[in-house]
């Protein structure tokens, strides 16, 4: 049995089509999309239509909620600002009511109980926290702390756009137990070690691991693998030029401004360009959302040289299709 896990497509139809071609060769038994179908690149409408036409299991991510919550009391503070959130407003004006209803009816997490396999818990970020993900640089202790309520031993997440396959082991210590009860029972607490197999399939449309490919994972049951499942990660090359060109021709770049430009850069570099920008600003005592998004970005692009770095790698300008 093969389970293909896709996540973080972010409206990148050319990347999704490349993955679909790869899946035709792999022939998985099931395909699961772990959130963030939309936003980020210009083809969200087409991506939703494509996925609706397929017999796949689909979950919501935080970008679905950005759209669904826009204009309601649940909206992200400041998302009514068309300068900072222009890309989301551009998207909302183009999504059809039937597509929005489809996204509204998706679940936020799933637990799979397939015959003769160990259960798998799947959610876009963390359970109940779709804007918080796991990063491979985190320690076992940090990951175990946020997975304490996850009883399933295999946990599939997404959100951080970085592939990883890791066994996290938590070994309780006595110090905390004893210090919590200084005058209580000094018997050794019966607390067993716990372990999770944590998997991130990476991002189909916006990977952030410096590999500008369409990325996903395939799981297969295996008795000798961590918690019963073996993982194979995939990188699929595709022509990024159509999606990059569409940033301009669709009007997304003009309406989305700085944030759309940074998403464009992420398609080019497969690096967390939005984080780089905000980190650069905060280190200099600047807040782009307070001090002017456009002026701060202009300064960043020039002083950091990041605009030149991206331009040299942009397949629309260097003649390279990949």
């Amino acid at each position: 049995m093969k389970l293909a896990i896709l996540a973080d497509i972010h409206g990148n139809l050319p990347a999704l089509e490349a993955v679909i071609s790869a899946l035709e060769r792999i022939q998985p038994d099931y395909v699961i999309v772990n959130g963030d179908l939309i936003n980020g690149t210009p083809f969200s409408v087409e991506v939703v239509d494509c996925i609706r036409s397929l017999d796949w299991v689909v979950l919501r991510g935080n970008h679905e909620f950005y759209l669904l919550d826009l204009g309601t009391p649940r909206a992200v503070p400041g998302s009514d600002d068309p300068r900072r959130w222009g890309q989301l407003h551009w998207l909302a004006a183009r999504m059809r009511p039937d597509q929005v209803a489809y996204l509204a009816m998706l679940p936020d997490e799933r637990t799979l109980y397939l015959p003769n396999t160990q259960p798998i818990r799947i959610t876009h970020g963390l359970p109940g926290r779709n804007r918080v993900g796991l990063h491979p640089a985190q320690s076992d202790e940090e990951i175990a702390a946020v997975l304490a309520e996850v009883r399933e031993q295999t946990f599939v997440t997404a959100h951080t756009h970085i592939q990883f396959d890791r066994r996290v082991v938590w070994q309780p210590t006595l110090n905390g137990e004893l210090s919590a009860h200084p005058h209580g029972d000094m018997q050794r607490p019966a607390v067993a070690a716990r372990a999770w197999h944590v998997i991130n399939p990476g991002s189909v449309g916006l990977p952030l691991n410096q590999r500008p490919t369409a990325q996903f994972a395939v799981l297969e049951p295996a008795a000798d693998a961590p918690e019963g499942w073996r993982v194979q990660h995939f990188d699929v090359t595709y022509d990024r030029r159509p999606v990059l060109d569409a940033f301009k021709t669709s009007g997304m770049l003009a309406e989305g401004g700085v944030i759309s430009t940074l998403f464009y850069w992420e398609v080019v570099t497969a690096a967390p360009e939005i984080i780089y920008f905000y980190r650069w600003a905060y280190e200099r005592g600047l807040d782009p959302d307070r001090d002017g998004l456009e002026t701060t970005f202009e300064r960043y692009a020039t002083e950091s040289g990041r605009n030149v770095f991206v331009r040299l790698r942009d397949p629309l300008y260097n003649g390279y299709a990949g």
Side-chain angles (χ1 to χ4, degrees):
M1 178 181 296
K2 296 180 182 179
L3 307 180
I5 311 291
L6 284 56
D8 294 294
I9 301 167
H10 286 287
N12 191 335
L13 183 65
L16 176 60
E17 290 174 337
V19 169
I20 290 173
S21 294
L23 294 178
E24 290 174 355
R25 297 189 298 270
I26 296 168
Q27 288 294 303
D29 297 282
Y30 301 97
V31 179
I32 299 100
V33 181
N34 193 12
D36 279 6
L37 288 66
I38 62 170
N39 205 22
T41 72
F43 295 115
S44 292
V45 168
E46 293 82 357
V47 164
V48 172
D49 282 344
C50 178
I51 289 177
R52 289 178 73 183
S53 71
L54 300 166
D55 187 22
W56 290 358
V57 174
V58 185
L59 287 73
R60 278 188 301 230
N62 56 299
H63 279 261
E64 278 75 51
F65 276 99
Y66 291 154
L67 175 67
L68 296 170
D69 292 347
L70 185 65
T72 76
R74 305 183 307 274
V76 175
S79 59
D80 57 341
D81 179 359
R83 296 176 72 84
R84 171 61 177 82
W85 290 85
Q87 176 160 306
L88 181 62
H89 290 245
W90 177 92
L91 174 66
R94 284 157 178 79
M95 295 291 289
R96 302 190 310 270
D98 63 293
Q99 293 180 314
V100 176
Y102 167 75
L103 298 175
M105 297 302 292
L106 294 176
D108 298 330
E109 63 177 77
R110 287 284 190 97
T111 303
L112 309 182
Y113 295 91
L114 295 164
N116 303 312
T117 67
Q118 293 299 316
I120 302 176
R121 181 85 164 267
I122 304 176
T123 187
H124 179 72
L126 298 175
R129 302 166 68 194
N130 61 29
R131 295 178 67 188
V132 180
L134 298 175
H135 194 278
Q138 290 178 282
S139 68
D140 279 13
E141 290 74 17
E142 290 173 314
I143 294 177
V146 297
L147 294 185
E149 301 303 318
V150 175
R151 310 311 305 176
E152 297 77 14
Q153 291 184 307
T154 298
F155 179 70
V156 177
T157 183
H159 187 62
T160 52
H161 298 212
I162 297 176
Q163 291 179 326
F164 64 88
D165 172 16
R166 178 170 167 185
R167 192 170 191 263
V168 173
V169 178
W170 177 70
Q171 179 65 55
T173 63
L174 295 182
N175 292 337
E177 293 289 336
L178 295 179
S179 63
H181 307 283
H183 305 295
D185 186 357
M186 293 297 105
Q187 297 296 316
R188 182 182 180 89
V191 181
R194 294 182 62 192
W196 296 267
H197 186 191
V198 182
I199 301 158
N200 189 322
S203 171
V204 171
L206 283 173
L208 298 179
N209 56 2
Q210 284 74 50
R211 301 198 306 271
T213 56
Q215 301 173 18
F216 65 100
V218 172
L219 280 62
E220 294 186 76
D224 61 342
E227 282 59 64
W229 292 91
R230 180 179 292 112
V231 181
Q232 183 177 1
H233 283 114
F234 289 83
D235 287 78
V236 179
T237 58
Y238 71 100
D239 186 352
R240 290 173 291 153
R241 291 175 298 182
V243 70
L244 291 170
D245 186 62
F247 271 87
K248 295 179 181 179
T249 59
S250 68
M252 173 185 277
L253 199 59
E255 192 163 338
V258 170
I259 299 302
S260 290
T261 299
L262 289 166
F263 275 125
Y264 181 105
W265 286 13
E266 289 187 346
V267 176
V268 172
T269 67
E273 299 292 345
I274 295 174
I275 292 175
Y276 288 170
F277 166 55
Y278 275 87
R279 182 182 296 158
W280 180 92
Y282 293 151
E283 287 174 350
R284 286 155 181 79
L286 301 170
D287 182 345
D289 298 324
R290 179 198 65 208
D291 301 321
L293 190 61
E294 291 84 359
T295 55
T296 305
F297 179 72
E298 288 174 6
R299 180 179 166 187
Y300 165 71
T302 301
E303 293 183 16
S304 70
R306 195 68 182 176
N307 55 342
V308 175
F309 179 90
V310 174
R311 178 80 172 212
L312 290 173
R313 289 156 179 79
D314 189 335
L316 284 181
Y317 298 100
N318 63 23
Y320 177 60

